[in-house]
Amino acid sequence: MKVTAQVVRSGDWWAIEVPELPGVFTRVKRLDRAAVMVADAVATMTGADPSEVEVSVRASLRPELQHDVDEAIRLRHEAEEARATATRQLAQAVTDVPGAGLTVRDAATLLEISPQRVSQVARA
């Protein structure tokens, strides 16, 4: 069973509502506990096994905070994609080193990494 936990900060707590199941409300001190608490609440109301309840947590934040969170996530994803692309390109460059007649030290200097890293990438 899939449900959404709509969470809103209320004082020192996160107030939680499950729109798919009217009457399912709970609260948590820490947001990282929301999914577990919602699964337990849904299980109590429906008789389902808590381990079979898939919870998607959606926080209602002030617009400026939501923008900052969304932007941080977007930039983190971009950085992860760039890191993966750089890793693939580094592996390709290291693979091309023997055919170019370069030593491991020459490749390290050109790639601005250590000779040990060149060797490590070459083995991988």
Side-chain angles (χ1 to χ4, degrees), residues 84-97:
T85 300
T87 299
R88 286 190 300 274
Q89 187 59 45
L90 177 62
Q92 183 61 50
V94 168
T95 300
D96 292 344
V97 165

Side-chain angles (χ1 to χ4, degrees), residues 61 64-74:
L61 303 171
E64 64 275 8
L65 179 55
Q66 187 65 57
H67 175 269
D68 289 347
V69 168
D70 292 343
E71 186 67 3
I73 291 169
R74 184 187 70 75

Side-chain angles (χ1 to χ4, degrees), residues 53-118:
V53 178
E54 185 179 324
V55 180
S56 174
V57 177
R58 301 280 185 252
S60 295
L61 303 171
R62 294 185 329 262
E64 64 275 8
L65 179 55
Q66 187 65 57
H67 175 269
D68 289 347
V69 168
D70 292 343
E71 186 67 3
I73 291 169
R74 184 187 70 75
L75 290 170
R76 192 184 80 238
H77 286 259
E78 279 183 16
E80 289 168 358
E81 289 174 19
R83 191 175 312 115
T85 300
T87 299
R88 286 190 300 274
Q89 187 59 45
L90 177 62
Q92 183 61 50
V94 168
T95 300
D96 292 344
V97 165
L102 300 175
T103 66
V104 169
R105 289 196 179 277
D106 288 342
T109 300
L110 291 170
L111 293 167
E112 300 178 358
I113 58 176
S114 71
Q116 293 84 356
R117 181 68 177 134
V118 171

